[in-house]
Amino acid sequence: MQLTYNENQQMIADMIRDFGAKSIKPAMMKWDESQEFPVHVFKQLGELGLMGVLVPQEYGGSGFGYLEYVTAIAELSKIDGSIGLSMAAHNSLCTGHILQFGSEEQKRKWLPKLATAEWIGAWGLTEPNTGSDAGNMRTVAVRDGDHWVLNGAKNFITHGKSSNIAVVIARTGEVGDSHGMTAFVIEKPTQGFSAGRKEDKLGMRASETTELIFEDCRVPHENILGNVGEGFIQSMKVLDGGRISIAALSLGIAQGAYEAALAYAKERQQFNKPIAQFQGIAFKLADMATEIEAAALLTYRAAAMKNRGENVTKESAMAKLYASEVCVRAANEGVQIFGGYGYTKDYPAEKYYRDSKLCTIGEGTSEIQKLVISRAVLK
């Protein structure tokens, strides 16, 4: 595997670094403190083609592949994990689900608005009492003529309040039946469909997370993705790609934490020399650099396989598991290298630290990734 950027990747990286310096860095701590979801930034990312990276040009997207997509998420996440997370969720979950399983008519109806960020997308699978146990979801859809009536709630939904459209998985069959759930596309405003409580989070605070509430919410039958009963199976396939997204998010945060720590260690003087010259610090940097390189190899391997249309269930889980755990370790060591200053908001280390932990939880915890991997290797 070559980790050097191709021409498209380099173009994307340069564009994001320039955009980030002008439009993200100056305000990101304000957004973090106030938990403001900067919708205008995502509109600008849409103008740059970054809200429909994988969407074919015929539907208004950029038409790139997973290598470019991973690069975009990682470069954004180096700057601010919140922006990287929201960009990834919009691309891989809501937009990705419609792209992968929508009919031609559905794609032409919704993808152009999503790819340009005219509309922000959300995706609803998780519920308050069914996190990893999605098969026991309690949000129910019952058919009524040409419509389905949804009742229930989802939580931990990225862009739950600010989104214009959501792909929601609801139970249409028996509890626990993997073929008893269906994917619905719901536009706003739809009567009976609303956002609930906004979460007050440790990190990723500029990425909005809320509940979705359904109270006799009527959705047209034509808004079903694929066939009735395919929603859970579709979701597992969507999450295969989503885990590559979270691996890329983890990679970017880890790289950001490492680069900040490296620069500080070269500048910070103790006992008349830079602290980077002390073995205790130098070895930390060596471990961080090595683990980040390994995480990048796993992530880009999964991306390359996804580009080729291969099954990536095991490889995406491996990438997500390892990269997310590396992200937490790198962020932790970054704070340690900064010392007391790493615990203050005057330096970037503390934000990388707070943002990193979600990567081991979102889109399947580390424990779930080990379950996925073990099942694959024990076949």
Side-chain angles (χ1 to χ4, degrees):
M1 286 283 303
Q2 293 291 324
L3 288 183
T4 53
Y5 283 169
N6 62 34
E7 185 177 347
N8 286 335
Q9 289 174 281
Q10 191 60 56
M11 175 196 71
I12 289 169
D14 292 342
M15 178 176 68
I16 289 173
R17 289 166 191 164
D18 181 60
F19 176 78
K22 295 176 181 177
S23 302
I24 299 176
K25 282 187 177 180
M28 68 181 191
M29 292 309 295
K30 177 178 76 72
W31 301 332
D32 183 83
E33 290 289 337
S34 63
Q35 294 204 91
E36 177 186 348
F37 177 58
V39 175
H40 69 282
V41 169
F42 294 93
K43 301 291 186 183
Q44 292 172 315
L45 291 175
E47 293 173 3
L48 295 175
L50 295 174
M51 296 296 273
V53 179
L54 299 168
V55 176
Q57 292 180 352
E58 64 185 291
Y59 303 121
S62 298
F64 287 127
Y66 266 79
L67 295 178
E68 290 84 2
Y69 179 49
V70 163
T71 300
I73 296 172
E75 291 292 341
L76 279 172
S77 303
K78 272 189 197 180
I79 303 165
D80 185 348
S82 296
I83 305 300
L85 172 63
S86 281
M87 177 269 195
H90 174 94
N91 274 274
S92 70
L93 298 180
C94 179
T95 304
H97 200 141
I98 295 170
L99 177 63
Q100 195 168 352
F101 296 104
S103 66
E104 184 63 24
E105 182 180 356
Q106 290 171 331
K107 290 177 184 178
R108 294 196 179 280
K109 180 179 180 181
W110 291 311
L111 288 180
K113 293 180 179 180
L114 287 164
T116 58
E118 178 184 346
W119 281 8
I120 302 295
W123 191 75
L125 177 66
T126 300
E127 297 186 0
N129 296 313
T130 57
S132 299
D133 185 17
N136 279 313
M137 68 173 56
R138 294 297 185 264
T139 298
V140 175
V142 177
R143 186 155 191 178
D144 181 17
D146 293 333
H147 287 74
W148 290 78
V149 181
L150 275 66
N151 282 284
K154 302 288 181 179
N155 72 334
F156 298 136
I157 307 303
T158 306
H159 319 140
K161 180 180 179 181
S162 297
S163 59
N164 307 94
I165 186 172
V167 176
V168 175
I169 317 303
R171 182 162 58 81
T172 51
E174 296 300 318
V175 173
D177 180 5
S178 62
H179 295 280
M181 289 160 275
T182 302
F184 297 86
V185 180
I186 311 177
E187 299 180 23
K188 292 182 180 177
T190 293
Q191 188 172 355
F193 177 38
S194 62
R197 183 174 66 95
K198 182 177 178 179
E199 302 294 343
D200 187 4
K201 299 181 297 182
L202 168 70
M204 304 287 198
R205 289 170 59 83
S207 178
E208 177 186 276
T209 306
T210 72
E211 296 174 313
L212 290 179
I213 298 171
F214 309 92
E215 298 174 305
D216 293 329
C217 174
R218 295 179 64 84
V219 182
H221 180 76
E222 64 191 30
N223 283 27
I224 287 176
L225 293 175
N227 297 315
V228 173
E230 293 179 347
F232 182 76
I233 306 302
Q234 291 174 4
S235 297
M236 295 303 100
K237 293 177 181 178
V238 168
L239 286 173
D240 281 348
R243 285 166 181 159
I244 297 174
S245 300
I246 302 302
L249 173 71
S250 305
L251 181 62
I253 294 171
Q255 288 173 328
Y258 165 71
E259 289 173 10
L262 178 64
Y264 182 80
K266 290 178 177 179
E267 295 171 0
R268 172 69 169 168
Q269 296 273 333
Q270 290 286 275
F271 304 101
N272 299 316
K273 61 181 178 181
I275 62 172
Q277 294 184 18
F278 293 100
Q279 191 177 80
I281 301 298
F283 279 14
K284 288 182 186 296
L285 293 167
D287 286 340
M288 292 164 76
T290 302
E291 291 189 342
I292 290 169
E293 194 83 359
L297 285 165
L298 282 170
T299 303
Y300 279 101
R301 180 187 69 158
M305 290 177 65
K306 185 72 173 174
N307 271 350
R308 295 193 295 267
E310 298 175 23
N311 185 306
V312 294
T313 299
K314 179 184 74 173
E315 288 75 15
S316 65
M318 286 179 167
K320 197 270 186 188
L321 170 65
Y322 188 74
S324 65
E325 295 291 341
V326 165
C327 177
V328 172
R329 288 195 293 272
N332 180 59
E333 292 289 45
V335 171
Q336 197 70 15
I337 289 169
F338 272 86
Y341 292 113
Y343 208 66
T344 72
K345 291 184 182 293
D346 294 329
Y347 290 85
E350 65 87 29
K351 185 175 186 301
Y352 287 122
Y353 184 72
R354 288 187 291 107
D355 287 349
S356 68
K357 187 56 190 171
L358 180 68
C359 296
T360 67
I361 299 169
E363 296 197 32
T365 63
S366 292
E367 291 74 20
I368 289 295
Q369 304 314 310
K370 290 179 181 180
L371 183 64
V372 171
I373 295 163
S374 63
R375 284 175 176 171
V377 300
L378 292 170
K379 277 186 178 178

